[in-house]
Amino acid sequence: MTPEPHSATDTDDLTTEPPPGCPAHGRGPEGLRRLYGPDAADLGDLYEQLREEHGPVAPVLIHEDVPMWVVLGHAENTHMLRTPAQFSRDSRIWTQLLDGTVKPDHPLMPHIAWQPICSHVEGDEHLRLRGAVTGAMSTIDYRGLRRHINRYTQVLVNRFCETGRADFVGQFAEHLPMAVMCEVLGMADEYNDRIVQAARDMLKGTETAIASNAYIMDALMRLTARRRDRPEDDFTSHLINHPAQLTDEEVGQHLRVVLIAAYESTANLIANVLRVVLTDPRFRAQLNGGQMTVPEAVEQSLWDEPPISAVLGYFAKQDTELGGQRIRQGDGLLFGAAPGNVDPRMRPDPTAHMQGNRSHLAFGGGPHECPGQDIGRAIADTGVDALLTRLPDVQLDCDEDELEWRASIASRHLVALPVRFSPSEQEDVSQAPSYAPVPQHRPAWPVSDKPEPQPAAEVPADPGPAAPPQEPAQAPEPARAPRGWRRFLRWWRGHRPDHS
């Protein structure tokens, strides 16, 4: 299923709309198309135009008319992701950065700037840092995690269930991932409206984004110090105690990557799934009729609307060829998850359901594939299922064409999803999820020498004349052995017949 286009109130999170006459309008130098500005309000259409003009890899311009390649083909994206010998995430080899074309204050620098974290390093250092993250991920108990997801869903629904109206983006999708991730990291007490707002502010790139980043990093560094002194059974403690021996700074930076990446992608995923459920009658009918499960609906959304539509960036380590284009050493490339998912060579019918197929690009691939994708899936499918179960008659509270988006190169974020439903009472969520002791099985046979009490026999209304006493039942005689077998035993014991 391909989502219908919606209006966008902002064409990019990271910059304001340029005034008329600004170079951001129209094509750039050498006729290259820009992936920013008002002409790029619908990047989906622009990607398809680029595919027709250039094929699976196209030259484009990002902010301040910096040249870059956008990879549109599914096979080409997969090759780039899985070939670290040719393509790196280390922007320090980017030609446009080395020659000064990209200034330190470039609007996309927060996405591109190299950092000593697992998603930017290679070789032994990548193995060390990535091993620590995946090792800590492997300790997560997903049964317990789903209990927390369900509880936080009920907590959030309690905030608006009595009113009969809500905004599923601002009151649910943007809160549930943060609440759950704070629980996973071991800082459940830090979850509140302020940390949600700080995360959103960071991603928008506003004037207060630096202060918001500082607020979140302060919380994460305090958590790191606490767990260094008093480890517990949480992600942070396992990250600290991993044999890779990360420093406090490395721990804090990787906690930030895990928290923000999981938050943004999962918030978008939840909003996308709920929007389709509320706007596509066929989709909802398949869910209600059992033809599709909520996890399958989540997977379909990852195909149709990947929560992170593009990733900046990958960089060529040597001269190479990709999708018929000659890529020079030092060229920058944009990983296009959204256009790759609708590559007509791989998906001729974009409206076809992709049930059971997980070859989408929503979580990347290769050595930098998202390590927390199972957490995102769990939050989305458990949260959406619990929400729809709690509010079974929920309906969209506006016309579909009134929905608004905040779009950027990296993602499309639904601004609001107003809904209405029958008001209901709050549910008791005072008890945190815990593991209940497993009840002991009753033994198959009684072990006490006292007989178990028997229920009293019912007395008939008219017993009639007393029945004569019956003889006690005789135990059945043991079956006799066959006559031939008895003769054999007698012979074996020496009772042989005298034939004289």
Side-chain angles (χ1 to χ4, degrees):
M1 190 199 79
T2 302
E4 297 295 328
H6 297 276
S7 60
T9 54
D10 184 7
T11 58
D12 206 292
D13 290 346
L14 302 174
T15 58
T16 57
E17 183 175 334
C22 174
H25 289 278
R27 293 176 181 259
E30 301 181 6
L32 297 183
R33 293 181 179 271
R34 294 185 171 97
L35 297 185
Y36 68 104
D39 290 341
D42 189 342
L43 285 177
D45 285 347
L46 180 55
Y47 287 146
E48 293 310 308
Q49 295 172 21
L50 289 168
R51 199 192 308 271
E52 291 180 5
E53 294 175 7
H54 300 281
V57 178
V60 294
L61 298 172
I62 61 172
H63 294 69
E64 298 182 359
D65 283 349
V66 174
M68 185 171 264
W69 299 97
V70 58
V71 185
L72 306 168
H74 188 279
E76 289 73 18
N77 271 298
T78 301
H79 175 76
M80 180 178 68
L81 298 175
R82 296 180 180 177
T83 315
Q86 295 179 344
F87 302 98
S88 169
R89 295 229 47 208
D90 188 344
S91 62
R92 294 175 298 181
I93 67 172
W94 189 16
T95 298
Q96 279 68 34
L97 186 64
L98 295 175
D99 66 13
T101 302
V102 177
K103 304 293 192 296
D105 60 350
H106 190 276
L108 298 182
M109 189 55 72
H111 295 262
I112 299 173
W114 183 86
Q115 301 175 57
I117 55 178
C118 64
S119 54
H120 287 173
V121 297
E122 297 182 286
D124 291 342
E125 188 66 359
H126 175 263
L127 293 176
R128 182 180 78 90
L129 297 176
R130 173 81 177 201
V133 172
T134 55
M137 289 282 182
S138 69
T139 66
I140 295 174
D141 172 24
Y142 280 87
R143 292 181 63 187
L145 176 65
R146 289 181 182 275
R147 291 189 181 97
H148 285 296
I149 297 168
N150 186 70
R151 177 174 179 268
Y152 279 118
T153 297
Q154 307 308 327
V155 169
L156 293 172
V157 175
N158 277 353
R159 295 181 180 181
F160 53 74
C161 64
E162 296 175 319
T163 66
R165 277 183 162 78
D167 169 19
F168 272 180
V169 173
Q171 294 178 271
F172 185 75
E174 292 184 348
H175 278 263
L176 182 62
M178 182 60 73
V180 175
M181 288 309 300
C182 285
E183 186 78 44
V184 169
L185 298 188
M187 58 177 203
D189 293 343
E190 296 284 353
Y191 165 68
N192 52 36
D193 290 345
R194 183 177 179 187
I195 196 168
V196 172
Q197 293 167 1
R200 294 293 331 143
D201 191 49
M202 284 175 56
L203 296 164
K204 292 178 184 178
T206 64
E207 295 179 355
T208 56
I210 295 177
S212 295
N213 179 68
Y215 171 78
I216 290 178
M217 282 305 302
D218 178 65
L220 296 175
M221 295 310 297
R222 284 188 281 107
L223 171 65
T224 301
R226 287 198 307 271
R227 291 297 181 263
R228 183 77 74 178
D229 292 338
R230 297 184 302 279
E232 295 187 11
D233 187 17
D234 54 39
F235 178 88
T236 302
S237 299
H238 290 293
L239 186 64
I240 291 172
N241 294 325
H242 191 271
Q245 298 182 344
L246 272 62
T247 65
D248 283 1
E249 181 64 23
E250 289 174 331
V251 170
Q253 290 297 332
H254 282 86
L255 291 178
R256 175 183 176 275
V257 171
V258 170
L259 177 66
I260 299 303
Y263 168 72
E264 168 69 356
S265 59
T266 309
N268 285 345
L269 177 59
I270 293 173
N272 291 342
V273 173
L274 289 173
R275 181 192 64 78
V276 176
V277 169
L278 294 171
T279 59
D280 190 326
R282 295 171 302 170
F283 200 89
R284 189 165 189 171
Q286 286 184 311
L287 277 178
N288 294 338
Q291 293 91 355
M292 178 184 290
T293 64
V294 173
E296 288 172 337
V298 169
E299 216 64 34
Q300 184 68 36
S301 180
L302 290 170
W303 272 104
D304 296 333
E305 293 182 287
I308 303 298
S309 53
V311 175
L312 288 152
Y314 281 76
F315 307 93
K317 300 169 72 172
Q318 59 191 32
D319 290 353
T320 186
E321 183 273 338
L322 185 66
Q325 301 285 2
R326 186 177 182 184
I327 310 299
R328 300 281 189 178
Q329 179 180 349
D331 280 0
L333 301 99
L334 183 67
F335 160 45
N341 276 356
V342 293
D343 184 347
R345 297 173 302 169
M346 183 274 305
R347 194 179 174 189
D349 181 5
T351 65
H353 286 290
M354 306 296 287
Q355 289 172 307
N357 188 334
R358 285 192 171 188
S359 60
H360 55 71
L361 301 171
F363 296 116
H368 297 293
E369 184 176 8
C370 175
Q373 56 187 277
D374 288 338
I375 297 179
R377 284 188 172 102
I379 296 174
D381 65 55
T382 304
V384 169
D385 190 26
L387 176 67
L388 297 179
T389 300
R390 183 84 180 271
L391 307 173
D393 63 343
V394 65
Q395 300 290 331
L396 189 66
D397 198 24
C398 68
D399 291 334
E400 184 179 355
D401 57 8
E402 294 179 19
L403 296 176
E404 298 178 346
W405 301 79
R406 187 168 50 247
S408 71
I409 291 177
S411 66
R412 263 176 102 232
H413 187 81
L414 189 61
V415 175
L417 189 62
V419 296
R420 64 181 185 277
F421 47 86
S422 299
S424 60
E425 296 181 355
Q426 297 187 15
E427 291 194 359
D428 182 15
V429 292
S430 57
Q431 296 296 323
S434 62
Y435 291 106
V438 179
Q440 294 184 353
H441 289 286
R442 181 177 179 179
W445 301 97
V447 296
S448 172
D449 56 354
K450 296 182 179 180
E452 293 188 0
Q454 300 294 327
E458 295 184 2
V459 179
D462 182 10
Q470 297 181 353
E471 295 293 331
Q474 298 293 328
E477 293 186 4
R480 289 181 174 271
R483 183 175 299 177
W485 178 252
R486 290 201 302 271
R487 286 201 303 266
F488 172 77
L489 289 178
R490 287 176 59 83
W491 176 86
W492 182 258
R493 292 167 182 166
H495 299 286
R496 294 176 173 85
D498 187 1
H499 294 289
S500 58

